[in-house]
Amino acid sequence: MAEPLIFERSVSGRRGYRLPPSDVLAMGQAEAIPDDQVRTEPPRLPEVAEIDAIRHYTRLSQLNFSVDTHCYPLGSCTMKYNPKLNDRIAALPNFASLHPLQPTSQVQGVLQLLYELDQLLSAITGMAAFTLQPAAGAQGELTGLKIIAAYHRRKRSIRSTMLIPDSAHGTNPASAAISGFTVEKLRSGPDGLVDLHELKSKLTPDVAALMLTNPNTLGLFERNIKTIAALLHERDALLYMDGANMNALLGIARPGEMGVDILQLNLHKTFSTPHGGGGPGAGPVGVGKKLEAFLPVPRVRKTGKRFAWDERSRATIGRVHGFYGNVGVLIRAYAYIRTLGCEGLMRASEAAIINANYLKAKLEPTFPVPFNDHCMHEFVVTVKALKAHGITAMDVAKRLLDYGFYAPTVYFPLIVDEALMIEPTETESQETLDRFAEALLSIAQEATTNPELVRGAPHRLAVHRLDEVRAAREPNLRWTPEHRQSVVHSR
Ligand SMILES: *Cc1c(COP(=O)(O)O)cnc(C)c1O
């Protein structure tokens, strides 16, 4: 059922609350606000009681899909359940009311936490040191690319090519292009992994680095990563690993031991910050010893028992964020790592891998997996066969909403036709995975017996098919019932 606009609930004169008359001498408006800045008409605000406002927004929130209400198997995004404990810890007044300009003597606790988080992330990944500044995965990539550029500049080596496999996440070529590199695409081999012949043929002296998403967007571990690193290092090129998929590797494998020179982690995906609403996030960047000097400043140093900001650095690329990044996200990550411990982190990754493989096994008789191997924490099926009934990946995704599941990622990675990229995460139970598989299998049935039903989905939500292109190109934020009719497709 659609929820009307709060303006449509407005009744003239209705109020949430009224303040008692002020007993402070009022300053004349003319003295307080210059004439040209005074409204001539009162703002058009909805006039509703407090309970109307509460019910309106609560109902709107219930129309939404979220990790707290639905299984959310959105491939690449790691929409796992994040323990509420970590939010509560980040909200403790002793953290939440700190000011970044406070003298370091007053913020020793949070500096210690940041210092230790750097060490914990280094231990988990096998890297030498981290900057915690970047605010997202993509900003971590940008930071990493600036470090790569600085490294070659320092060696007086002019290199402008960035190798990126076609199975990489879309942000990788975007970040490389924004950083001024020329992107050279590497075609994946038939197994969905980096093709070593292709790599060798493109490994010219102009190559600055290879950006490798590992596990890649097909959910496959790049099992030749050590060879890849060695090939690059022979030519003094670097290996950048997009570590947003670290949820598959915790406690199992350390990129630093695979020859990775630099990587970013997505704390909001792997380490317990609720996300999907646009942030804040954190994309710390870890480097090996030879790149440590290039890390952004400031960094937290420990001298004796005291912690302090250190702005000194011979070769730093500078600062990439105001103050020290999104500290609230960093606190959540610290709390998550500390509560799970080594053993717990490893079990989280194992469960993520087992859940994905369990689901893949249930689905693959009906939905082929084009690059089929033991997957890591996610996998990609194709629904190409349903095209015979006029059904697309988008139709399947929309129909899943009727079954009470958020849809998987669609049409990505680009190397799989009519792709559904499914990441169940470690926090879903076997019962939920079974229900999800049953929903998909019954949609495959419907596609043959009642394709109209699938094409018209979703049927059970407040809005049906939206004209997404039109909604983006001609946004109309003044909702009316007529306008709604014109935006919503009736197919
Ligand atoms: C999510 C993701 C990114 C981008 O991270 P943001 O925090 O959204 O900028 C990069 N690479 C991979 C593999 C990802 O899954």
Side-chain angles (χ1 to χ4, degrees), residues 75-78 135-141 168-172 213-217 242-245 264-266 268-269 281-283 378 412 421 423:
S76 202
C77 296
T78 313
Q139 201 196 1
E141 292 171 27
H169 192 266
T171 48
N172 296 1
T213 303
N214 188 32
N216 67 25
T217 56
D242 179 335
N245 291 338
Q264 109 277 355
L265 298 175
N266 284 31
H268 42 295
K269 287 176 180 167
E378 62 192 351
F412 182 77
M421 182 192 207
E423 180 178 9

Side-chain angles (χ1 to χ4, degrees), residues 186-370:
L186 293 184
R187 256 178 302 110
S188 298
D191 53 2
L193 303 178
V194 168
D195 178 339
L196 293 178
H197 295 294
E198 168 92 351
L199 170 60
K200 283 179 197 157
S201 74
K202 299 218 162 143
L203 199 43
T204 62
D206 190 54
V207 170
L210 166 67
M211 279 184 101
L212 193 64
T213 303
N214 188 32
N216 67 25
T217 56
L218 295 163
L220 303 176
F221 185 84
E222 291 287 351
R223 66 167 72 92
N224 297 320
I225 188 164
K226 281 188 161 173
T227 313
I228 294 169
L231 286 170
L232 290 162
H233 292 158
E234 273 170 26
R235 291 157 181 82
D236 201 22
L238 299 171
L239 177 57
Y240 180 98
M241 183 178 123
D242 179 335
N245 291 338
M246 195 67 197
N247 211 43
L249 304 182
L250 301 173
I252 299 173
R254 306 204 307 161
E257 288 164 13
M258 303 170 199
V260 170
D261 298 297
I262 184 159
L263 94 171
Q264 109 277 355
L265 298 175
N266 284 31
L267 298 190
H268 42 295
K269 287 176 180 167
T270 314
F271 296 98
S272 194
T273 283
H275 65 291
V285 170
V287 293
K289 261 269 158 285
K290 71 179 172 195
L291 296 177
E292 193 173 346
F294 299 100
L295 281 177
V297 287
R299 303 189 54 210
V300 184
R301 301 267 183 218
K302 186 177 182 191
T303 324
K305 284 193 172 150
R306 304 208 51 81
F307 299 90
W309 295 118
D310 189 351
E311 299 273 356
R312 285 167 309 159
S313 166
R314 282 173 298 117
T316 179
I317 59 160
R319 194 183 260 283
V320 298
H321 194 288
F323 299 108
Y324 204 64
N326 289 326
V327 172
V329 178
L330 305 176
I331 296 169
R332 284 173 179 81
Y334 181 86
Y336 183 71
I337 294 169
R338 282 289 201 213
T339 43
L340 262 67
C342 223
E343 181 70 26
L345 289 173
M346 187 166 82
R347 283 181 45 207
S349 279
E350 283 173 356
I353 294 170
I354 291 168
N355 277 2
N357 280 283
Y358 177 79
L359 204 48
K360 180 164 84 74
K362 293 206 121 184
L363 293 176
E364 67 196 341
T366 311
F367 298 102
V369 179

Side-chain angles (χ1 to χ4, degrees), residues 158-170:
I158 297 165
R159 299 180 182 227
S160 60
T161 301
M162 190 62 53
L163 298 179
I164 305 185
D166 57 9
S167 63
H169 192 266

Side-chain angles (χ1 to χ4, degrees), residues 2-150:
E3 173 71 13
L5 282 190
I6 194 159
F7 287 90
E8 293 167 310
R9 296 203 175 279
S10 180
V11 175
S12 177
R14 190 163 286 169
R15 288 287 177 273
Y17 62 92
R18 284 169 217 273
L19 296 173
S22 170
D23 55 2
V24 178
L25 202 59
M27 190 193 232
Q29 186 188 63
E31 300 148 49
I33 308 173
D35 272 350
D36 62 341
Q37 288 179 28
V38 177
R39 286 177 181 280
T40 52
E41 284 169 30
R44 280 185 47 216
L45 296 174
E47 298 178 80
V48 295
E50 189 167 317
I51 193 169
D52 298 327
I54 293 284
R55 287 189 180 153
H56 175 69
Y57 287 107
T58 304
R59 271 194 295 259
L60 283 183
S61 75
Q62 290 168 340
L63 295 178
N64 227 337
F65 281 71
S66 71
V67 176
D68 286 357
T69 51
H70 298 84
C71 167
Y72 209 122
L74 189 65
S76 202
C77 296
T78 313
M79 305 303 285
K80 61 185 180 182
Y81 176 76
N82 299 298
K84 296 290 178 258
L85 172 67
N86 303 323
D87 294 339
R88 292 186 61 173
I89 289 174
L92 288 175
N94 288 1
F95 288 129
S97 55
L98 290 180
H99 191 282
L101 291 177
Q102 262 171 276
T104 53
S105 62
Q106 294 175 3
V107 294
Q108 286 293 302
V110 77
L111 290 181
Q112 179 176 355
L113 181 150
L114 297 170
Y115 180 85
E116 287 179 10
L117 181 59
D118 176 345
Q119 293 190 320
L120 290 169
L121 297 179
S122 298
I124 289 168
T125 57
M127 306 309 288
F130 269 83
T131 173
L132 306 178
Q133 282 185 36
Q139 201 196 1
E141 292 171 27
L142 185 71
T143 306
L145 288 158
K146 290 208 172 301
I147 291 175
I148 291 168

